[in-house]
Amino acid sequence: MRRYTASSFIQDAALDVLYTFAIYMAVTLGTGVALLLVWRQDRAQTFTALLGLSHLIWTFNPLAYLATRSADPMWHHIGLVGLVLVGTTYLSLLSLGFIHLSGRRFNRWKLLATGGFLFVFHVGLILVELHWAQLGFAALNTVIGLVVAWWLRKQGPGERASGVLIVLCGLNQFTYVLMGEPGAMLQTTIAAALRLLLGMSLMYAALTRTGQAVQRLHDRFFELTERSPQGVTVVRKGMVAYTNPAFRELFGMRKETPSPPVFSPRWVELTVPETERQGAEIIARRVLDGQLQQAEWHGERISLDGRRLHLRFKAWQVEWDGAPALQVVVTDDTARVDATQALLWRATHDELTGLPNRSALLQRLRELFDDPARPAFALILMDVDRFKLFNEAHGQSVGDDVLKVLSTDLARRFVYQAQVMRMGEDEFAVLIECEDAVTVAERIAQEVKAMLREPLVLPAHRFFLDVSMGVASHPSSAQDAEAFLQVAHAAMHDAKRLPGTSVQWASADGAQGLVAFFSAEQALRAGLQNDEFKLVYQPKVAAKSGKLLGFEALVRWDRPGIGRISPLDFIPAAERNGLIVPLGALILREACQQLAAWRDQGLNLVPVAVNVSPLQLLDATFPESVLAILGEFKLPPSCLTLEITETAAVAHMDQANEQISQLRKAGVEVALDDFGTGFSSLNMLRSLPLRTVKIDRSLIDPMPNQEANAVVKAICDLASVLSLDVVAEGVETEEHASAAVRAGCDVLQGFLFAKPLEVDEATRWLTDRY
């Protein structure tokens, strides 16, 4: 029995059929490889890989067909299995490839199910008859081709041609069905031509799509660079290969005006400040040489149309037309830098005058103190005397004009000698930095004096000004900028005590005094919070009988670590910083609380006098607050006497009259304190609704001197005519008492009777003498 091999059944086939099949296999193999090579160059074209693989798989179909022609059953069955596997795989890859080509979505499970169906379909047909299998396969190819042609009908010419060709490939397979074995060569020949055309159309579609992708990249590049607000340029081999519109606009490159080539020597000369040229060139060279992967820097540039720019640069190496190039991205930071500089300017300069401010002065002083060379310098602080009068008399706008004109005159006059600064509302500073700073400071102070002898000229006014100047020089005992400034301030405050435009040089004692002043002020505030103030009570007695008629409540400060402080030492400070108002309210409340305590003890009450400051008198609600405190402790108004100084009454005549009238109507007595020390007139005594006049101790002390007696008697006679009681203060001797009684005083008060008493001693007086 003859044994069949692969070579024996091939030899049984006609040579012309084999030749035709070889050509067909070469076409499908070449087409498949070509499509795979296209995919290798552009991995985005997935359909070329799938269709290329389908062509490679289809290359084995003629071999499988020839195997089925073998008389050997084994090869026959191998051929049948080959036809099933090749056909199923080919149709699956073909379908998937054209799905990708058409841009349609696919479901993985549906695709697997379809592949399974094709496999079962092929197996079923082949088991029936090879002829029927070919018919079914041709029908499937044609249906798939028609579907693909429908999918691709609206796409490019390559895609549409592919759809038509795949339909023709399917129809061509009916040749064998219709003609049988004689039609195999014709079908194979036509199929080879169709496969060749199909491969070409698919490659054309791939190339078209690659070109479209390149165009999209170009368009994207256009969007990113041509329309980018950042400037972009590419430098290749020393020549500019590309610049975008933002770059040209940024540097003022106008089409109508020829510009020098970008980055040419002329360009660098026009746009890059000389101090930054070398650094920019070094950075660019290091990037191109690969020493830096990416570089960033910033600097000042000048556009071709003269604008000063603040730019940020970022550069890295790119490939441009096959050669290394430098890509530079330029960001315009001018607005941000200008805004930052404007904020910095406002932080260090006065908005009204444009002069450097206090922060700038302190910064410069710190730099001078930190300088190891310890340079010599001097500082003049000057304050415009009575500047509030300009605002009150002429309005704030005129006051501002005064400051602007004065600052302009000072800055212009001393521009080459010193730096003028504005410290605050009406305070200026002149900083001198030179070896003979002390001499220059003396000369400047004298020049300021001479300058202010002439009026300050404004558009609608002419003003004469006085300034108080404090001068400090370094080297000095000050160890830092703040201490040095404090020394100058102390000298300026000393100068304010002198009349006219005055100059005071700083001393260590002056600074220490200023420190002590502020320390005492801070302690005064703490004392109010910590209840360190208490009242003592000095009796007032009847001039003839010596009977107790009342007390004057006097405040004392028991300061921790120091002891008791006299009101002469802290009342002026309290009046200067406004603390006299809360302190006066505290004294009034303490006095009323003590009166209520004596009442609750069953004692008969006598009036208690409390001193009132001018600031309290200016408060329109002061009478209401007095009556509120009396009501709080359920005291009759007659228990309280308020004493106002003669100076306060004269300075605030209208307000005093209104406040005293309200208090008198409510039943509170009001006395005029320290009478004889101020500038009061008979008209004032007649106009104010007073109940009592207290003669100052300075008029009582000389008694019984004849002239002193005459003055006191005249006051008593005047008071008698106006129905006013007279209290003599400072009665310390029997002679004082006798003379005061003879002069007509009704009430006596002084050390002769008692010093200011603590509460328990005052309680005994109230018990024993009333």
Side-chain angles (χ1 to χ4, degrees):
M1 183 175 183
R2 182 182 174 186
R3 182 178 179 181
Y4 288 92
T5 62
S7 59
S8 64
F9 79 77
I10 292 175
Q11 292 173 2
D12 292 339
L15 290 177
D16 54 349
V17 173
L18 293 177
Y19 181 72
T20 303
F21 279 9
I23 294 175
Y24 179 75
M25 292 173 63
V27 170
T28 55
L29 179 64
T31 304
V33 171
L35 288 172
L36 287 174
L37 290 175
V38 171
W39 171 77
R40 184 180 180 184
Q41 293 299 317
D42 186 357
R43 298 298 177 94
Q45 310 295 344
T46 308
F47 74 92
T48 58
L50 295 170
L51 294 175
L53 287 173
S54 71
H55 277 71
L56 292 179
I57 293 297
W58 192 243
T59 302
F60 295 99
N61 187 66
L63 296 178
Y65 169 74
L66 290 176
T68 61
R69 298 276 306 275
S70 173
D72 189 335
M74 182 184 71
W75 284 108
H76 176 73
H77 286 94
I78 291 175
L80 292 177
V81 172
L83 287 176
V84 171
L85 293 177
V86 169
T88 302
T89 306
Y90 166 74
L91 288 179
S92 298
L93 290 173
L94 185 74
S95 301
L96 186 58
F98 278 108
I99 287 173
H100 275 278
L101 180 62
S102 65
R104 295 180 177 273
R105 295 180 180 180
F106 64 91
N107 185 286
R108 182 182 302 174
W109 299 110
K110 288 183 179 180
L111 189 65
L112 291 174
T114 301
F117 165 77
L118 292 174
F119 179 79
V120 173
F121 179 79
H122 275 89
V123 171
L125 289 177
I126 285 178
L127 290 176
V128 174
E129 166 57 38
L130 185 61
H131 184 80
W132 287 102
Q134 180 65 18
L135 176 63
F137 190 76
L140 277 176
N141 266 273
T142 303
V143 171
I144 291 174
L146 291 172
V147 172
V148 168
W150 177 258
W151 285 347
L152 302 177
R153 71 189 186 281
K154 294 183 179 180
Q155 296 196 21
E159 289 87 346
R160 293 197 301 272
S162 299
V164 172
L165 289 170
I166 202 68
V167 172
L168 294 176
C169 286
L171 293 174
N172 180 54
Q173 291 176 358
F174 284 103
T175 304
Y176 179 82
V177 175
L178 296 175
M179 298 177 63
E181 292 294 337
M185 287 184 59
L186 178 61
Q187 176 183 321
T188 304
T189 303
I190 295 173
L194 291 175
R195 291 290 172 182
L196 183 60
L197 292 174
L198 178 61
M200 295 173 62
S201 64
L202 288 174
M203 285 187 281
Y204 177 78
L207 291 174
T208 302
R209 294 190 173 206
T210 300
Q212 291 173 346
V214 172
Q215 184 61 42
R216 283 196 298 272
L217 289 175
H218 176 272
D219 294 341
R220 192 172 300 167
F221 177 79
F222 178 85
E223 292 292 330
L224 292 175
T225 59
E226 291 292 302
R227 298 184 181 180
S228 171
Q230 294 177 305
V232 179
T233 185
V234 177
V235 183
R236 177 176 174 271
K237 295 182 178 180
M239 302 296 292
V240 173
Y242 170 78
T243 57
N244 71 340
F247 185 92
R248 295 191 292 272
E249 180 69 24
L250 187 61
F251 280 96
M253 301 169 66
R254 300 288 183 260
K255 291 183 179 180
E256 61 274 10
T257 305
S259 303
V262 179
F263 298 153
S264 66
R266 180 58 179 163
W267 168 278
V268 173
E269 181 183 345
L270 291 174
T271 63
V272 184
E274 188 174 355
T275 55
E276 300 195 20
R277 293 174 190 171
Q278 184 176 3
E281 291 175 359
I282 291 174
I283 292 175
R285 193 178 304 113
R286 293 183 65 189
V287 173
L288 279 174
D289 292 345
Q291 299 178 29
L292 287 176
Q293 184 176 1
Q294 179 174 293
E296 295 185 36
W297 71 98
H298 61 86
E300 184 176 316
R301 296 293 186 268
I302 304 168
S303 68
L304 297 177
D305 52 11
R307 291 174 290 115
R308 300 196 72 83
L309 307 170
H310 295 276
L311 305 179
R312 282 188 292 116
F313 300 87
K314 183 179 289 187
W316 58 90
Q317 188 180 114
V318 296
E319 182 180 324
W320 192 276
D321 292 338
L326 180 70
Q327 180 172 337
V328 182
V329 176
V330 186
T331 303
D332 187 2
D333 223 13
T334 306
R336 186 189 66 82
V337 171
D338 289 347
T340 302
Q341 290 179 346
L343 287 174
L344 180 62
W345 189 92
R346 283 197 291 270
T348 57
H349 287 75
D350 173 58
E351 187 173 355
L352 178 66
T353 63
L355 296 176
N357 61 11
R358 180 186 180 87
S359 297
L361 174 62
L362 274 172
Q363 178 62 31
R364 183 55 188 153
L365 288 176
R366 292 188 185 108
E367 292 171 358
L368 290 171
F369 271 92
D370 292 341
D371 190 342
R374 290 288 179 176
F377 57 90
L379 177 66
I380 302 175
L381 292 185
M382 60 179 67
D383 187 83
V384 181
D385 297 338
R386 302 175 301 282
F387 178 70
K388 289 184 178 180
L389 292 177
F390 289 104
N391 290 335
E392 294 174 358
H394 301 283
Q396 186 172 354
S397 61
V398 175
D400 288 345
D401 290 341
V402 168
L403 294 174
K404 287 191 286 189
V405 173
L406 178 60
S407 65
T408 301
D409 288 352
L410 291 172
R412 183 178 61 248
R413 184 178 292 265
F414 306 123
V415 62
Y416 299 112
Q417 305 174 61
Q419 187 176 15
V420 179
M421 307 178 182
R422 187 187 179 199
M423 298 289 288
E425 177 68 17
D426 54 358
E427 188 175 327
F428 293 87
V430 180
L431 180 62
I432 303 108
E433 300 179 42
C434 60
E435 289 298 327
D436 56 343
V438 173
T439 303
V440 175
E442 291 176 343
R443 185 170 67 248
I444 288 177
Q446 295 306 314
E447 290 183 19
V448 170
K449 280 188 171 184
M451 182 182 79
L452 295 180
R453 292 192 190 104
E454 300 296 326
L456 201 69
V457 179
L458 276 67
H461 300 278
R462 289 164 60 88
F463 293 119
F464 285 93
L465 297 181
D466 286 318
V467 299
S468 299
M469 291 180 280
V471 188
S473 61
H474 189 76
S476 65
S477 58
Q479 299 300 312
D480 54 42
E482 285 76 8
F484 184 76
L485 189 59
Q486 190 177 17
V487 168
H489 266 293
M492 186 181 70
H493 279 284
D494 289 342
K496 277 190 167 294
R497 301 190 182 102
L498 303 175
T501 297
S502 55
V503 182
Q504 189 71 32
W505 285 80
S507 65
D509 293 341
Q512 292 171 0
L514 191 61
V515 171
F517 171 80
F518 285 113
S519 298
E521 180 182 311
Q522 295 299 314
L524 191 61
R525 294 179 186 274
L528 281 171
Q529 291 183 344
N530 300 330
D531 297 326
E532 296 173 5
F533 295 92
K534 63 180 297 185
L535 297 183
V536 294
Y537 300 87
Q538 188 170 35
K540 298 178 182 179
V541 300
K544 295 181 179 179
S545 65
K547 179 183 177 181
L548 177 65
L549 297 179
F551 291 107
E552 180 180 3
L554 302 169
V555 67
R556 297 292 185 266
W557 182 12
D558 291 332
R559 186 174 175 184
I562 295 180
R564 177 158 290 184
I565 299 176
S566 168
L568 296 176
D569 295 329
F570 66 82
I571 291 296
E575 289 179 337
R576 280 194 299 270
N577 56 33
L579 292 177
I580 193 65
V581 174
L583 180 59
L586 181 147
I587 294 170
L588 184 61
R589 176 175 290 279
E590 289 279 338
C592 291
Q593 188 175 16
Q594 186 57 54
L595 280 167
W598 282 332
R599 179 199 61 201
D600 295 342
Q601 294 174 27
L603 300 176
N604 294 320
L605 299 183
V606 295
V608 172
V610 176
N611 291 285
V612 176
S613 76
L615 291 178
Q616 288 175 284
L617 203 62
L618 288 173
D619 185 358
T621 64
F622 178 64
E624 297 176 9
S625 62
V626 172
L627 297 176
I629 293 175
L630 288 170
E632 179 183 347
F633 292 103
K634 299 179 175 59
L635 294 173
S638 59
C639 289
L640 185 65
T641 299
L642 300 179
E643 297 183 356
I644 62 173
T645 64
E646 180 186 13
T647 303
V650 172
H652 310 287
M653 185 71 173
D654 293 337
Q655 295 94 328
N657 199 337
E658 176 65 24
Q659 307 285 50
I660 294 171
S661 297
Q662 292 183 40
L663 291 167
R664 285 300 305 277
K665 287 179 183 178
V668 178
E669 299 293 342
V670 179
L672 187 64
D673 197 12
D674 299 336
F675 186 80
T677 60
F679 304 96
S680 56
S681 64
L682 297 178
N683 182 58
M684 187 195 75
L685 290 178
R686 182 180 62 82
S687 301
L688 291 176
L690 301 170
R691 180 68 182 84
T692 304
V693 172
K694 296 185 71 175
I695 299 176
D696 189 72
R697 65 177 61 246
S698 62
L699 299 180
I700 300 299
D701 189 60
M703 296 178 75
N705 179 281
Q706 184 175 357
E707 290 80 5
N709 288 342
V711 171
V712 173
K713 187 176 186 310
I715 294 173
C716 292
D717 292 342
L718 176 61
S720 178
V721 171
L722 297 175
S723 300
L724 299 174
D725 292 335
V726 179
V727 178
E729 290 186 296
V731 179
E732 298 184 357
T733 65
E734 291 290 348
E735 290 78 7
H736 288 162
S738 299
V741 171
R742 288 194 301 271
C745 294
D746 304 302
V747 183
L748 306 180
Q749 178 183 347
F751 284 4
L752 175 63
F753 307 102
K755 293 182 178 181
L757 307 173
E758 299 292 337
V759 172
D760 54 348
E761 296 173 328
T763 302
R764 284 196 294 271
W765 263 72
L766 194 58
T767 303
D768 299 340
R769 301 201 182 194
Y770 185 76

